[in-house]
Amino acid sequence: MASDVVTLEATGGLGPITVAIPQGRQTITPASRMAVAAIGDNARFLHGRGLDWGAGTGLLAIGAALVDDVDFVLGLELDEADLPVARANAERNGVGGATRFVHADSYTAVDPDDQPDIDDLRGRADFLVANPPASPTGDGLDWRREALRGGLDFVVPGAPVLVQISYQYAIARIEGLVDDVPGYRYEGVAGTTDWVPFDQSRADLAFQIVEYARIEAEGGIPYTFSDGAGGHLTAAEAIERYQATGESPLSKWQMHLFRRV
Ligand SMILES: C[S@@+](CC[C@H](N)C(=O)[O-])C[C@H]1O[C@@H](n2cnc3c(N)ncnc32)[C@H](O)[C@@H]1O
């Protein structure tokens, strides 16, 4: 099958990474580009053996495996079709022997024969990286909570945990993840893009922002977008402005650093 070959040069000093993505599959997103650059920028924190929750076509696991002091990365991925792509991409970047990709629903192997590969890191993983999807309902962070909660059984005390969470979720909600999932402390933003449109012409993002506004209306922490002029908008305000002007609000793709206590 034909593939799109993507070379990333801005990898936070990891060197260029080239991945091939079969046409029709999710290509490398701006969030993934930012996330792998954040891994490079935070390479000083990474060593030993780690996990990539939701490894997809392998980019973050490959980036982490390219860090000098990292020996091995286990990628966990629910979509079986991504696994051969991730393996081939790891080979392509010279880290085939330093990575393994397992068909898994979170930390549980789909094929029980693969569970020992996951359990091998239980209580012994030196780091965790994750770029989880937005959860379709609720405040959008449930897959992050899942990655963090399950990760408690795997990462050692002091281990860095890098999670992609975009700006609009609001820092109070992001910091609050350590209350939702006790066992971590929050250490700050580890990587970011500039402002990017939270494109309201996209049906999925238009749906998400309505969910956000619903949560605000129920008394949840307000979401935080930029208006592009130095001001901030809640989700409800952003919807109102888009309806009036057609201007999408702005957000940033960001990687956040947590640490297992
Ligand atoms: C936003 S993509 C990130 C892919 C890749 N890590 C990257 O940054 O390019 C999220 C990935 O999480 C995977 N995923 C979703 N739910 C999962 C689950 N329960 N267990 C493992 N992987 C999951 C999706 O299939 C998808 O590949």
Side-chain angles (χ1 to χ4, degrees):
M1 183 191 289
S3 292
D4 293 324
V5 176
V6 180
T7 297
L8 289 88
E9 302 287 349
T11 58
L14 298 174
I17 299 176
T18 299
V19 291
I21 311 294
Q23 281 171 12
R25 297 208 66 73
Q26 169 76 64
T27 189
I28 298 300
T29 64
S32 300
R33 287 173 186 268
M34 177 282 307
V36 79
I39 287 171
D41 286 336
N42 292 277
R44 64 191 181 285
F45 297 134
L46 306 182
H47 72 274
R49 299 191 299 164
L51 289 154
D52 176 7
W53 189 103
T57 48
L59 183 61
L60 304 194
I62 292 166
L66 285 169
V67 172
D68 282 348
D69 291 341
V70 169
D71 303 318
F72 176 76
V73 185
L74 181 69
L76 307 171
E77 174 52 47
L78 183 59
D79 186 341
E80 194 170 14
D82 276 344
L83 296 169
V85 182
R87 289 176 190 130
N89 281 330
E91 290 289 342
R92 181 185 282 267
N93 289 281
V95 291
T99 52
R100 182 169 300 189
F101 295 91
V102 173
H103 188 203
D105 182 352
S106 204
Y107 298 90
T108 303
V110 173
D111 178 344
D113 288 348
D114 291 332
Q115 191 61 38
D117 285 341
I118 301 176
D119 288 342
D120 195 38
L121 284 180
R122 194 175 289 276
R124 299 202 288 183
D126 298 299
F127 64 89
L128 167 65
V129 298
N131 175 17
S135 48
T137 55
D139 69 0
L141 292 185
D142 282 348
W143 285 117
R144 271 80 169 185
R145 293 187 183 93
E146 165 72 20
L148 288 169
R149 192 173 297 113
L152 288 170
D153 291 338
F154 285 85
V155 293
V156 297
V161 174
L162 288 163
V163 186
Q164 196 290 117
I165 311 172
S166 19
Y167 181 92
Q168 82 271 4
Y169 286 103
I171 194 66
R173 180 177 284 104
I174 295 168
E175 288 177 346
L177 288 171
V178 302
D179 301 320
D180 303 342
V181 185
Y184 297 96
R185 70 173 176 269
Y186 177 71
E187 294 205 341
V189 176
T192 188
T193 62
D194 285 332
W195 295 113
V196 290
F198 193 77
D199 184 356
Q200 290 302 289
S201 66
R202 271 180 51 181
D204 57 335
L205 299 187
F207 175 82
Q208 260 179 31
I209 206 166
V210 170
E211 270 295 288
Y212 295 168
R214 187 183 61 74
I215 285 175
E216 288 173 353
E218 287 173 356
I221 295 168
Y223 290 77
T224 306
F225 294 90
S226 168
D227 64 3
H232 279 93
L233 302 167
T234 64
E237 290 164 350
I239 293 171
E240 203 174 307
R241 189 181 75 143
Y242 181 71
Q243 286 168 350
T245 66
E247 277 182 79
S248 289
L250 306 177
S251 186
K252 295 177 182 184
W253 302 109
Q254 296 192 315
M255 199 74 149
H256 295 263
L257 177 62
F258 297 84
R259 208 172 279 271
R260 180 78 165 99
V261 291

